Amino acid sequence: MTHRGRRVALVGVAAWLVVATIAVTALAADVSDAREAHDFLLSCAGCHKLDASGSPTVPSLRGVDRLLAKPGGRDYVLRVPGVASAPLSDERLAMLLDWVFASFGNHAATRFTAAEVRAARTRPFVDPKAARAALE
Protein backbone atom coordinates (compact mmCIF):
# COMPACT_ATOMS: atom_id res chain seq x y z
CA MET A 1 0.00 0.00 0.00
CA THR A 2 1.33 3.43 -0.88
CA HIS A 3 1.85 6.22 1.61
CA ARG A 4 -1.17 8.02 0.14
CA GLY A 5 -3.25 4.82 0.38
CA ARG A 6 -2.36 4.40 4.05
CA ARG A 7 -3.24 8.02 4.73
CA VAL A 8 -6.63 7.60 3.03
CA ALA A 9 -7.26 4.43 5.05
CA LEU A 10 -6.35 6.18 8.30
CA VAL A 11 -8.64 9.10 7.48
CA GLY A 12 -11.44 6.59 6.82
CA VAL A 13 -10.87 4.85 10.14
CA ALA A 14 -10.74 8.20 11.96
CA ALA A 15 -14.00 9.27 10.31
CA TRP A 16 -15.67 6.01 11.34
CA LEU A 17 -14.50 6.50 14.94
CA VAL A 18 -15.94 10.02 14.99
CA VAL A 19 -19.28 8.78 13.65
CA ALA A 20 -19.33 5.90 16.14
CA THR A 21 -18.53 8.24 19.02
CA ILE A 22 -21.32 10.61 17.98
CA ALA A 23 -23.74 7.67 17.70
CA VAL A 24 -22.82 6.32 21.14
CA THR A 25 -23.15 9.80 22.64
CA ALA A 26 -26.56 10.29 21.03
CA LEU A 27 -27.80 6.90 22.20
CA ALA A 28 -26.43 7.48 25.69
CA ALA A 29 -28.08 10.90 25.86
CA ASP A 30 -31.45 9.28 25.16
CA VAL A 31 -31.21 6.77 27.98
CA SER A 32 -28.33 8.07 30.10
CA ASP A 33 -26.43 4.78 30.20
CA ALA A 34 -23.31 4.85 28.08
CA ARG A 35 -22.25 1.24 28.78
CA GLU A 36 -25.37 -0.29 27.27
CA ALA A 37 -25.29 2.17 24.36
CA HIS A 38 -21.68 1.16 23.75
CA ASP A 39 -22.52 -2.55 23.93
CA PHE A 40 -25.46 -2.00 21.56
CA LEU A 41 -23.22 -0.21 19.09
CA LEU A 42 -20.60 -2.95 19.11
CA SER A 43 -22.81 -6.04 19.42
CA CYS A 44 -26.14 -5.17 17.79
CA ALA A 45 -26.09 -2.06 15.58
CA GLY A 46 -24.07 -3.69 12.82
CA CYS A 47 -27.10 -5.80 11.87
CA HIS A 48 -30.03 -4.05 13.56
CA LYS A 49 -28.81 -0.50 12.63
CA LEU A 50 -28.13 2.40 14.98
CA ASP A 51 -31.83 3.18 15.27
CA ALA A 52 -32.72 -0.52 15.80
CA SER A 53 -34.94 -0.51 12.70
CA GLY A 54 -33.44 -3.69 11.23
CA SER A 55 -33.62 -4.57 7.54
CA PRO A 56 -35.53 -6.91 5.24
CA THR A 57 -33.45 -9.81 6.60
CA VAL A 58 -32.81 -8.64 10.18
CA PRO A 59 -35.75 -7.97 12.52
CA SER A 60 -36.35 -4.57 14.02
CA LEU A 61 -35.78 -4.20 17.74
CA ARG A 62 -38.51 -1.57 17.89
CA GLY A 63 -41.70 -2.83 19.48
CA VAL A 64 -40.14 -6.13 20.55
CA ASP A 65 -41.39 -5.57 24.08
CA ARG A 66 -44.63 -7.21 22.94
CA LEU A 67 -42.71 -10.50 22.72
CA LEU A 68 -42.30 -10.56 26.49
CA ALA A 69 -46.06 -10.71 26.96
CA LYS A 70 -46.33 -13.93 24.95
CA PRO A 71 -45.84 -17.38 26.44
CA GLY A 72 -42.28 -18.37 25.55
CA GLY A 73 -41.37 -14.82 24.50
CA ARG A 74 -38.75 -14.26 27.15
CA ASP A 75 -37.12 -17.60 26.34
CA TYR A 76 -37.22 -16.74 22.64
CA VAL A 77 -35.39 -13.44 23.18
CA LEU A 78 -32.65 -15.13 25.17
CA ARG A 79 -32.12 -17.95 22.67
CA VAL A 80 -31.94 -16.12 19.32
CA PRO A 81 -28.44 -16.65 17.91
CA GLY A 82 -27.41 -12.98 18.08
CA VAL A 83 -28.19 -12.88 21.79
CA ALA A 84 -26.95 -16.35 22.68
CA SER A 85 -23.61 -15.76 20.94
CA ALA A 86 -23.10 -12.10 21.87
CA PRO A 87 -19.50 -11.43 22.97
CA LEU A 88 -20.59 -10.07 26.35
CA SER A 89 -20.61 -11.49 29.84
CA ASP A 90 -23.92 -12.88 31.03
CA GLU A 91 -24.36 -9.89 33.34
CA ARG A 92 -23.61 -7.29 30.66
CA LEU A 93 -25.88 -9.07 28.19
CA ALA A 94 -28.71 -9.04 30.74
CA MET A 95 -28.17 -5.29 31.22
CA LEU A 96 -28.09 -4.73 27.46
CA LEU A 97 -31.35 -6.63 26.98
CA ASP A 98 -32.99 -4.55 29.72
CA TRP A 99 -31.74 -1.42 27.95
CA VAL A 100 -33.07 -2.55 24.54
CA PHE A 101 -36.46 -3.40 26.05
CA ALA A 102 -36.63 0.08 27.59
CA SER A 103 -35.44 1.89 24.43
CA PHE A 104 -36.36 2.24 20.76
CA GLY A 105 -40.07 2.66 21.37
CA ASN A 106 -40.21 -0.33 23.70
CA HIS A 107 -41.83 0.13 27.09
CA ALA A 108 -41.14 -3.08 28.97
CA ALA A 109 -39.87 -2.72 32.50
CA THR A 110 -38.14 -6.05 32.68
CA ARG A 111 -35.12 -7.42 34.44
CA PHE A 112 -33.13 -10.18 32.84
CA THR A 113 -30.69 -11.91 35.16
CA ALA A 114 -27.21 -13.17 34.44
CA ALA A 115 -28.31 -16.66 35.55
CA GLU A 116 -31.18 -16.87 33.04
CA VAL A 117 -28.95 -15.50 30.26
CA ARG A 118 -26.32 -18.12 31.09
CA ALA A 119 -28.87 -20.95 31.02
CA ALA A 120 -30.47 -19.86 27.73
CA ARG A 121 -27.11 -19.43 25.97
CA THR A 122 -26.49 -23.16 26.28
CA ARG A 123 -29.38 -23.91 23.90
CA PRO A 124 -29.62 -21.30 21.12
CA PHE A 125 -32.24 -21.73 18.41
CA VAL A 126 -31.17 -23.48 15.23
CA ASP A 127 -34.10 -21.91 13.34
CA PRO A 128 -35.03 -18.61 15.02
CA LYS A 129 -37.53 -17.70 12.27
CA ALA A 130 -39.56 -20.84 12.98
CA ALA A 131 -39.34 -20.17 16.72
CA ARG A 132 -40.63 -16.64 16.21
CA ALA A 133 -43.43 -17.81 13.94
CA ALA A 134 -44.52 -20.19 16.69
CA LEU A 135 -44.91 -17.17 19.01
CA GLU A 136 -47.14 -15.25 16.60
Side-chain angles (χ1 to χ4, degrees):
M1 181 180 288
T2 67
H3 179 69
R4 179 182 159 98
R6 274 185 245 130
R7 190 172 19 178
V8 168
L10 285 173
V11 168
V13 168
W16 183 88
L17 288 171
V18 168
V19 169
T21 301
I22 290 168
V24 167
T25 303
L27 287 170
D30 287 346
V31 295
S32 75
D33 196 338
R35 175 182 277 180
E36 283 76 13
H38 174 266
D39 287 345
F40 178 83
L41 178 67
L42 294 180
S43 299
C44 310
C47 296
H48 292 282
K49 297 185 182 177
L50 287 174
D51 66 354
S53 63
S55 72
T57 56
V58 176
S60 171
L61 296 178
R62 295 179 166 280
V64 293
D65 54 341
R66 72 192 186 316
L67 290 173
L68 297 180
K70 298 178 181 224
R74 191 175 180 95
D75 184 60
Y76 168 79
V77 167
L78 292 169
R79 293 178 56 201
V80 294
V83 172
S85 65
L88 298 169
S89 70
D90 297 332
E91 181 178 358
R92 279 187 74 166
L93 183 54
M95 291 167 56
L96 174 57
L97 288 169
D98 289 342
W99 183 82
V100 167
F101 278 95
S103 305
F104 307 115
N106 296 307
H107 304 288
T110 187
R111 284 287 180 234
F112 288 93
T113 67
E116 72 180 318
V117 168
R118 187 177 316 107
R121 284 178 140 178
T122 64
R123 46 191 184 85
F125 287 120
V126 175
D127 187 352
K129 287 183 181 180
R132 183 152 184 167
L135 289 176
E136 301 298 331

